[in-house]
Amino acid sequence: MKSIGSHGVLLLILFLLAGGLLGGILGEVLSGIQLGNLMPMLSQHYEIFNIQNVDLNLYIMQINFGIRFAPNLLSILGIFVALFIYRHVS
C-alpha cells in the first residue's frame, strides 16, 4: 500500500466530495422518474447526523454554526464509485 501524502489526502477528499455531489444530483434528477418503487427509495434522504444551528453572539458580530449530513442512496453509491476510481488512478 502506498503511503498517503498531503496531496493524496486532498485528492481523495476531492474525489469523495465530487462522487457524493454527483450522486446526489443524479438522485434528485432521477427522482421524478417512475420505475416502480425503486426511485423513491434511491432518492430518499437518510439523515446521518444533524447538528442544529448554534448562535454565537459576540456583540460586534453574530456567527451561526451547524451541519447536516443527509445523503440519498445514489450519493452514497457515488462516494463508493469515487473511492474505486481513486484507488485505480493513484
Side-chain angles (χ1 to χ4, degrees), residues 18-48:
L21 183 63
L22 291 175
I25 290 171
L26 182 65
E28 291 298 319
V29 168
L30 295 178
S31 66
I33 296 175
Q34 297 297 326
L35 292 174
N37 292 331
L38 183 64
M39 287 315 296
M41 184 181 69
L42 290 176
S43 62
Q44 179 183 355
H45 292 273
Y46 299 97
E47 190 167 305
I48 305 296

Side-chain angles (χ1 to χ4, degrees), residues 75-88:
S75 64
I76 294 172
L77 180 66
I79 290 172
F80 285 123
V81 168
L83 183 61
F84 178 76
I85 292 171
Y86 172 78
R87 291 187 52 100
H88 286 304

